[in-house]
């Protein structure tokens, strides 16, 4: 597998299994960055007096939508330089991986990558700023619409199989798996008993019966 193309490029198609795998990769990388952050704090002496280490796995994509909220810019000042660097680098990496794999998965559904806007970006921004909206019927309608779009996007990316065969975005990613399994099948011919044996009539020598043909 070409991991660079799989995780960072936006062209081509991937199946559901690879989309779930990308989500698992992001979760593992987020955990590693959280551990690295804690180790750096311990080595710098910030956490030597702590009896327990709290690992921060908060590298979710929700942070991507917080970048559009000026109210949260003040919280960045409370972060140390190490936390800020890890947070920024981790968020950029995870957002890129998610956008690249989600785009290829939408291609597998024969949809343009622009569908990621109504499926995830619009619901995410609504969730970030929903507390600013008044408690009214139209706000509830917007909330229901955003939830429906997010659920639709989740089903498209993680549940529904891709289009069979070649589409406008490339070949079927499952076709390579099927071809590979077919090539593993044995290619040797089966033994045809009727072609390899002949009936010899009785004679003086050797005795009659079935014999294997000469040269077979």
């Amino acid at each position: 597998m070409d991991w660079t193309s799989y995780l960072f490029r936006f062209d081509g198609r991937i199946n559901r299994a690879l989309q779930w795998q990308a989500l698992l990769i992001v979760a593992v990388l987020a955990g590693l960055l959280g551990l690295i952050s804690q180790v750096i704090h311990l080595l710098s002496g910030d956490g030597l007096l702590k009896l327990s280490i709290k690992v921060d796995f908060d590298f979710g994509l929700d942070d991507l939508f917080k970048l559009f909220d000026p109210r949260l810019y003040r919280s960045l000042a409370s972060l140390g330089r190490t936390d800020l660097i890890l947070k920024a680098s981790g968020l950029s990496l995870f957002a890129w991986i998610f956008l690249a794999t989600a785009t290829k998965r939408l291609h597998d559904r024969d949809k343009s990558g622009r569908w990621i806007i109504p499926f995830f970006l619009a619901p995410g921004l609504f969730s970030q700023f929903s507390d600013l909206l008044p408690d009214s019927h139209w706000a509830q309608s917007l909330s229901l619409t955003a939830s429906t779009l997010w659920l639709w996007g989740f089903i498209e990316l993680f549940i529904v199989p891709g289009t069979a065969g070649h589409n406008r975005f490339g070949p079927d990613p499952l076709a390579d798996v099927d071809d590979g399994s077919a090539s593993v099948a044995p290619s040797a011919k089966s033994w045809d008993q009727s072609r390899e044996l002949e009936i010899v009539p009785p004679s003086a020598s050797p005795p009659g019966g079935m014999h294997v043909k000469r040269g077979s």
Side-chain angles (χ1 to χ4, degrees):
M1 178 188 293
D2 185 354
W3 289 93
T4 302
S5 176
Y6 165 44
L7 294 176
F8 299 104
R9 294 187 59 175
F10 289 81
D11 58 312
R13 300 167 58 182
I14 61 173
N15 55 31
R16 289 171 294 175
L18 291 180
Q19 183 64 49
W20 281 106
Q21 179 177 275
L23 199 64
L24 179 61
I25 290 174
V26 168
V28 172
L29 291 176
L32 289 177
L33 283 181
L35 289 174
I36 291 173
S37 176
Q38 293 298 323
V39 169
I40 292 176
H41 284 304
L42 287 175
L43 294 178
S44 63
D46 295 339
L48 293 179
L49 300 179
K50 294 182 180 180
L51 296 178
S52 62
I53 300 177
K54 180 181 179 181
V55 179
D56 183 10
F57 292 95
D58 186 19
F59 285 93
L61 291 177
D62 292 341
D63 291 337
L64 178 64
F65 305 110
K66 294 178 182 178
L67 297 177
F68 299 92
D69 192 347
R71 298 173 299 170
L72 299 177
Y73 289 168
R74 299 175 182 175
S75 61
L76 296 177
S78 62
L79 293 177
R81 181 180 301 177
T82 301
D83 293 331
L84 187 59
I85 293 175
L86 289 177
K87 196 78 170 180
S89 59
L91 179 60
S92 301
L93 175 63
F94 304 150
W96 189 281
I97 292 176
F98 175 77
L99 292 175
T101 55
T103 299
K104 289 194 286 286
R105 177 65 184 128
L106 288 172
H107 290 172
D108 192 40
R109 294 286 300 143
D110 202 16
K111 286 181 169 58
S112 170
R114 296 186 182 93
W115 277 93
I116 204 169
I117 297 176
F119 283 161
F120 293 100
L121 295 184
L125 289 175
F126 176 82
S127 176
Q128 182 62 41
F129 295 99
S130 60
D131 59 321
L132 299 178
L133 299 177
D135 189 8
S136 60
H137 294 291
W138 66 268
Q140 294 177 359
S141 300
L142 286 177
S143 177
L144 180 61
T145 302
S147 300
T148 303
L149 287 173
W150 183 90
L151 180 60
W152 182 11
F154 179 84
I155 293 175
E156 288 282 349
L157 261 64
F158 296 97
I159 306 298
V160 182
T163 54
H166 193 283
N167 66 13
R168 54 182 171 146
F169 297 105
D172 189 346
L174 294 179
D176 296 336
V177 178
D178 296 337
D179 295 341
S181 61
S183 63
V184 177
S187 59
K189 297 188 301 180
S190 59
W191 180 53
D192 189 353
Q193 181 178 358
S194 61
R195 296 180 60 184
E196 301 296 337
L197 297 178
E198 64 177 346
I199 304 298
V200 180
S203 59
S205 178
M210 291 190 301
H211 299 271
V212 179
K213 291 181 180 180
R214 296 179 181 179
S216 60

